[in-house]
Amino acid sequence: MIIAVDGPAASGKGTIAKALARHYRLPHLDTGLLYRAVAATVRRLDLDPAREADAVAACDFDELTLADPVLRTDEIGQLASIVSAHPLVRAALLRRQQRFARQPGGAVLDGRDIGTVIAPDADAKLFVKATPRIRARRRHTELQAHGSTLSFDKVLADIRARDERDSSRSAAPLVRAADAALLDTSFLSIEMSVQKAIALVEERVGPSGDR
Ligand code: CDP
């Protein structure tokens, strides 16, 4: 069974995807980490994120980069949204994500284009959303816990900028797939969001999740 979880920054998609993976005993891939690793590599090599050729060169990143805490920073999130708009960057990361999705038994993937591009044939698709202010509040708390001193207003502005960039790019923009179930987590606790996500998946695949 393949489960696709898409949505904007700090919508709760990562937490929900991880919980679904645990519930159904499936492997999970946070595809945002791949774009963040490209971004961190661009920065480390002092390349230009706006130049497609530079960003493509960084797609061959060292696997150890995926565990680097720098990937969580707001700066790398912004850079990731710049490098991810290049069609050749998306193409370079496509096969790796599709291999993960199609492994025997299935998988849960979260990102921006899982239900539309990476796994359009997924058994269940969720599109997770929340208001920009609520997402900014969550991300601000998360960044503070990692020692960041960014103001709430700056985090909100960054979230709005990233939403705009991710939704308006021509290569695999952030859009809800026509057959994705919508899950608005604005006023839901993590537990409630996860329960609702499981219920939505079961609506598609039945209670056993056996498909
Ligand atoms: O956790 P958060 O939603 O803040 O970010 P992320 O999922 O780690 O993604 C970082 C950036 O990578 C996003 O703003 C997108 O521009 C890009 N991305 C993408 O284009 N496609 C994906 N499947 C996942 C992330």
Side-chain angles (χ1 to χ4, degrees):
M1 172 169 71
I2 301 176
I3 304 178
V5 184
D6 290 303
S11 55
K13 64 184 185 310
T15 305
I16 288 171
K18 254 180 251 148
L20 287 173
R22 218 174 303 123
H23 183 80
Y24 291 109
R25 296 176 197 280
L26 291 171
H28 165 238
L29 179 65
D30 168 1
T31 63
L33 273 187
L34 304 177
Y35 294 95
R36 285 173 181 264
V38 174
T41 304
V42 160
R43 206 191 51 174
R44 188 170 54 79
L45 300 178
D46 205 16
L47 300 170
D48 178 359
R51 272 196 71 218
E52 187 160 33
D54 280 19
V56 167
C59 289
D60 199 16
F61 57 78
D62 181 341
E63 290 298 304
L64 290 176
T65 311
L66 290 170
D68 190 333
V70 78
L71 262 50
R72 290 177 199 277
T73 61
D74 188 65
E75 186 203 348
I76 294 297
Q78 291 293 334
L79 272 182
S81 131
I82 296 172
V83 297
S84 72
H86 298 303
L88 291 179
V89 167
R90 308 202 70 84
L93 300 178
L94 180 79
R95 204 155 317 143
R96 174 181 189 148
Q97 296 173 78
Q98 289 190 328
R99 242 193 339 260
F100 192 92
R102 291 176 190 158
Q103 62 188 295
V108 181
L109 289 87
D110 75 84
R112 302 288 188 290
D113 63 340
I114 309 304
T116 50
V117 176
I118 305 297
D121 55 344
D123 300 282
K125 299 181 187 178
L126 300 182
F127 191 84
V128 185
K129 67 173 203 177
T131 69
R133 292 194 78 82
I134 287 174
R135 289 187 285 123
R137 200 170 315 131
R138 290 176 186 161
R139 185 49 50 93
H140 187 230
T141 308
E142 204 174 284
L143 289 168
Q144 275 184 328
H146 285 97
S148 156
T149 53
L150 283 187
S151 70
F152 171 80
D153 286 346
K154 167 78 173 126
V155 174
L156 178 60
D158 285 355
I159 283 219
R160 289 194 197 280
R162 206 134 65 86
D163 280 358
E164 170 61 23
R165 211 178 295 125
D166 290 351
S167 310
S168 63
R169 69 183 179 215
S170 51
L174 170 66
V175 284
R176 173 184 170 193
D179 54 350
L182 190 63
L183 175 50
D184 188 335
T185 66
S186 299
F187 304 106
L188 297 181
S189 64
I190 292 180
E191 291 73 24
M192 296 272 296
S193 306
V194 169
Q195 270 180 28
K196 204 140 183 217
I198 293 172
L200 289 170
V201 170
E202 290 189 354
E203 263 175 35
R204 297 291 160 101
V205 301
S208 64
D210 229 18
R211 256 195 137 191

